[in-house]
Amino acid sequence: MNLPPLVQSFVLHFGEMGSRWGINRTVGQIYALLYVSPQPLCADEIVEALGISRSNVSMSLRELQAWNLVLLKHLPDDRRDFFTTPDDVWQILRTLAEERKKREIDPTLSVLREILMQKPGNDDERFAQERMAEMHGLIERLTTWYDDVKQLDTDRLAMLLGLGSRITKLLEAKDRIVSIGRRKPAAREREE
Amino acid sequence: MNLPPLVQSFVLHFGEMGSRWGINRTVGQIYALLYVSPQPLCADEIVEALGISRSNVSMSLRELQAWNLVLLKHLPDDRRDFFTTPDDVWQILRTLAEERKKREIDPTLSVLREILMQKPGNDDERFAQERMAEMHGLIERLTTWYDDVKQLDTDRLAMLLGLGSRITKLLEAKDRIVSIGRRKPAAREREE
DNA sequence: CATTAATTTCAGAAATTTCTGAAAATTCTA
DNA sequence: TAGAATTTTCAGAAATTTCTGAAATTAATG
């Protein structure tokens, strides 16, 4: 590996974290490298920079494309493929959230739904099904919320995050806010 | 493996998803089994139910304890350890979020901070550092928000989620809400 | 304190994942 | 369409992770 020390630390860290993030070392390293590169890189430049085989680069880039984490670019009069990452970090965040949901949440949601359709054969199965219903309910709430939030444009999303601890005051005032939506005064849902 | 079909599907699914969630098959299966079991189970009951070795159960339970995902129980006049999961799914969610942050986010944040302290040697390094600063900034915003939200009690958290798409209207009305905190009318921050 | 019950440790076996080199396929150019 | 450039595929090698059985450790009991 032949990289400026500062970049090398970053790339190596992404490689090490790879397994915790559900990708492998090479995929992590390539992503990190592309992320901090001022220009798009072609496969051979990645081979050169990371000191790994050409075929590994090919497969790893394919994996990154499956995650929608890299962009394919073409330079005039050059038929090689060049790769970058999107440069808006908010966009990267959205993609990451979406892809992880697809891989880590959705399959479980669908298994749960399927099991919940079945009829329990005894008390233990009934109990198990109730537990699964609780899990299913929670995941549904979370994903519904996520589906709403991801519609927000970046400014609004930043605003939501920026709200920070003031979120509490906002929730205290929820009734009033909700009533704007309904155009009618709302009944208090919970008192302090 | 000798389990009611409905439980078996659930356990096998958690086993398969294990690798995507950063745990291994056995750990996933044991967690699933404990989650749907009406009573706490001891190690040998897990061995029996899942058909795996005693030592594997021991190591996997240790791993689950490191994640704070299981509780140790003792029955009177029985010196064996019995295990369950917390029964409040919201509590499970909090634990999961906390542990994943600790394993998947915090190390990166600290590496980024360290790299950002260094002095770039040339233009490429300067560019790389700027990119890392963007990433660092975003992660900081997200974790600050998370730190605030996790303080909320479950009712408030549920309320926040329940807000769903109305979050937009709420954000439109943000000025007014924030002004409650400041006890003064606020200037409009952005117009539509 | 010897015995028994329960749990943990750990070296190596088994399984899985990652990576490579060589060959095949694709795509452009003359 | 032959040839050159580039990318992809894939069988097996290498590395890593997971799992097991046997031995060691811990802790309670008589």
Side-chain angles (χ1 to χ4, degrees):
Chain A
M1 191 177 297
N2 182 23
L3 288 168
L6 190 145
V7 172
Q8 172 154 322
S9 320
F10 183 69
V11 165
L12 289 179
H13 175 75
F14 264 61
E16 282 162 20
M17 294 302 283
S19 58
R20 300 198 181 172
W21 297 334
I23 56 176
N24 67 38
R25 181 173 38 182
T26 306
V27 173
Q29 289 185 353
I30 293 180
Y31 182 79
L33 178 63
L34 294 177
Y35 178 80
V36 296
S37 290
Q39 272 86 38
L41 301 179
C42 73
D44 282 320
E45 289 169 326
I46 297 171
V47 166
E48 167 71 13
L50 301 181
I52 56 181
S53 76
R54 182 63 182 73
S55 52
N56 195 2
V57 169
S58 176
M59 291 187 303
S60 301
L61 283 171
R62 164 170 292 264
E63 170 94 1
L64 283 170
Q65 284 175 289
W67 278 80
N68 285 307
L69 283 172
V70 296
L71 297 172
L72 192 53
K73 297 255 169 176
H74 281 107
L75 302 185
D77 302 327
D78 192 329
R79 48 200 262 223
R80 289 172 298 175
D81 292 336
F82 286 76
F83 298 88
T84 17
T85 61
D87 41 50
D88 176 9
V89 288
W90 292 89
Q91 184 47 51
I92 293 172
L93 177 66
R94 288 169 199 271
T95 302
L96 217 52
E98 193 63 22
E99 296 293 329
R100 286 191 83 152
K101 171 174 178 294
K102 195 159 75 193
R103 288 166 174 76
E104 301 182 6
I105 311 290
D106 293 350
T108 298
L109 214 38
S110 103
V111 164
L112 285 173
R113 272 198 261 271
E114 205 160 279
I115 297 179
L116 290 173
M117 305 277 287
Q118 296 172 39
K119 203 158 180 330
N122 58 43
D123 274 358
D124 281 2
E125 289 198 30
R126 197 172 347 274
F127 179 88
Q129 231 182 20
E130 269 160 35
R131 290 293 275 164
M132 295 187 217
E134 286 175 60
M135 182 182 286
H136 179 266
L138 180 61
I139 300 178
E140 280 252 288
R141 285 188 96 138
L142 290 168
T143 55
T144 302
W145 184 80
Y146 164 74
D147 284 340
D148 284 337
V149 167
K150 80 178 177 203
Q151 305 298 334
L152 298 177
D153 61 45
T154 296
D155 287 341
R156 288 245 175 85
L157 186 53
M159 217 192 275
L160 174 59
L161 288 184
L163 222 49
S165 61
R166 282 162 294 177
I167 196 80
T168 306
K169 296 212 177 58
L170 200 146
L171 288 173
E172 274 162 17
K174 171 175 174 275
D175 293 341
R176 227 164 340 119
I177 304 311
V178 172
S179 74
I180 292 169
R182 288 208 295 273
R183 294 277 164 219
K184 253 210 256 179
R188 222 165 242 304
E189 208 157 283
R190 165 181 320 284
E191 71 291 307
E192 291 312 304
Chain B
M1 191 177 298
N2 180 25
L3 288 169
L6 190 143
V7 172
Q8 173 153 323
S9 320
F10 183 69
V11 166
L12 289 178
H13 174 75
F14 265 60
E16 282 162 19
M17 294 301 282
S19 58
R20 298 196 183 176
W21 296 335
I23 56 175
N24 68 38
R25 181 174 36 183
T26 305
V27 173
Q29 289 185 353
I30 293 180
Y31 182 79
L33 178 64
L34 294 178
Y35 179 80
V36 297
S37 290
Q39 272 85 40
L41 301 179
C42 72
D44 283 319
E45 289 168 325
I46 297 171
V47 167
E48 167 71 13
L50 301 181
I52 57 181
S53 75
R54 182 63 184 74
S55 53
N56 196 1
V57 170
S58 176
M59 289 188 303
S60 300
L61 283 171
R62 165 171 291 265
E63 171 94 1
L64 283 170
Q65 284 175 288
W67 277 81
N68 285 307
L69 283 172
V70 296
L71 298 173
L72 191 54
K73 297 255 170 177
H74 281 106
L75 302 185
D77 300 327
D78 192 328
R79 47 200 262 221
R80 288 173 299 176
D81 292 336
F82 285 77
F83 298 88
T84 17
T85 61
D87 40 50
D88 176 9
V89 288
W90 292 89
Q91 184 46 52
I92 294 172
L93 176 67
R94 287 169 199 271
T95 302
L96 218 52
E98 193 63 22
E99 295 294 329
R100 286 191 83 152
K101 172 174 177 293
K102 193 159 77 193
R103 288 167 174 75
E104 301 182 6
I105 312 291
D106 293 350
T108 298
L109 214 39
S110 103
V111 165
L112 285 173
R113 270 198 262 270
E114 205 160 281
I115 297 179
L116 290 173
M117 305 277 289
Q118 296 173 39
K119 201 155 183 331
N122 58 43
D123 275 358
D124 281 3
E125 289 198 28
R126 199 173 342 276
F127 179 89
Q129 231 181 21
E130 270 160 33
R131 289 292 276 163
M132 295 186 215
E134 286 176 59
M135 182 182 287
H136 180 267
L138 181 61
I139 299 179
E140 280 252 289
R141 286 188 95 142
L142 290 169
T143 55
T144 301
W145 184 81
Y146 164 75
D147 284 340
D148 284 337
V149 167
K150 81 177 175 204
Q151 304 298 333
L152 297 178
D153 60 46
T154 297
D155 287 341
R156 287 245 176 85
L157 186 52
M159 217 192 274
L160 175 59
L161 288 183
L163 223 50
S165 64
R166 282 162 294 176
I167 197 78
T168 306
K169 295 215 175 58
L170 201 147
L171 287 172
E172 274 162 16
K174 172 172 172 279
D175 292 341
R176 230 167 334 123
I177 303 310
V178 172
S179 73
I180 293 170
R182 287 208 298 272
R183 296 274 163 219
K184 254 210 256 180
R188 220 162 246 306
E189 208 158 281
R190 162 181 323 283
E191 71 290 305
E192 293 312 301

